[in-house]
Amino acid sequence: MLRFLGEPHHDGSALYVSDQRPALGARVTLWLRAPLAAGVTAVHVRAVHDGEPRYFEAAVDRGRQASGYGRTDVWWRAEITAVNPVTPYRFLLHTTAGQRWLTAAGVAAHDLTDAGDFRLVCHQAPPEWMSDAIVYQIFPDRYDRSRPMAELPDWALPREWGPRPGDPGRPPAPPSSSTAATSTASPGASTTSRASAPTPST
């Protein structure tokens, strides 16, 4: 990992992208951090608008500086427009060793497809709580059985693939002890079940 410390860097975090929830048509500021060892002399952003590449010149942002390690790095700043719901972009770096591309896949000295480009996404943003949450995604269709199952285990609930949890068709869950309609009294007192309470005589 130490070999990447001298390479230019950009990612989708708020440190490098000004708007984390851009609307369609919004102007978004991008930053690129370039260590002095990378020899970057100029930067352009290549963004794809309606399927056509567009180039935007970046300038050194002298008011932006990291503390501690990387405090001598140079920060480049450029603005692009979120023209499409998904706007791919990459950085064209002019260095002392020649031109380089910086994409989400890393630095390359040759031309690349758009598959590894960074992306400015204008689709509906995820909920706020996901920013500091750990989410596990389980894909049941990725699992397979070694043989057909004639009978399900006692703990398994039979279910069709289509309905969502809570939809009609799901077998009702067995009542838990917390929902039992009984109350317990002290020794010597009578115990009455709400479900079997006697009906007053008339």
Side-chain angles (χ1 to χ4, degrees), residues 46-65:
R46 176 190 181 270
V48 179
H49 292 174
D50 297 325
E52 297 292 335
R54 299 286 187 270
Y55 288 84
F56 304 91
E57 186 176 4
V60 175
D61 189 346
R62 302 190 184 280
R64 197 174 185 86
Q65 188 177 24

Side-chain angles (χ1 to χ4, degrees), residues 108-172:
H110 57 274
D111 200 8
L112 304 166
T113 67
D114 295 346
D117 282 0
F118 298 103
R119 283 170 171 77
L120 202 59
V121 179
C122 297
H123 294 309
Q124 182 177 358
E128 291 286 352
W129 57 263
M130 287 195 68
S131 61
D132 59 353
I134 299 175
V135 180
Y136 294 91
Q137 289 183 309
I138 300 175
F139 300 90
D141 60 311
R142 304 300 194 271
Y143 295 88
D144 195 6
R145 295 189 296 237
S146 58
R147 63 183 184 280
M149 213 176 262
E151 295 184 3
L152 293 176
D154 294 338
W155 51 264
L157 297 176
R159 181 158 181 80
E160 297 297 329
W161 180 259
R164 295 179 302 174
D167 286 348
R170 182 176 185 178

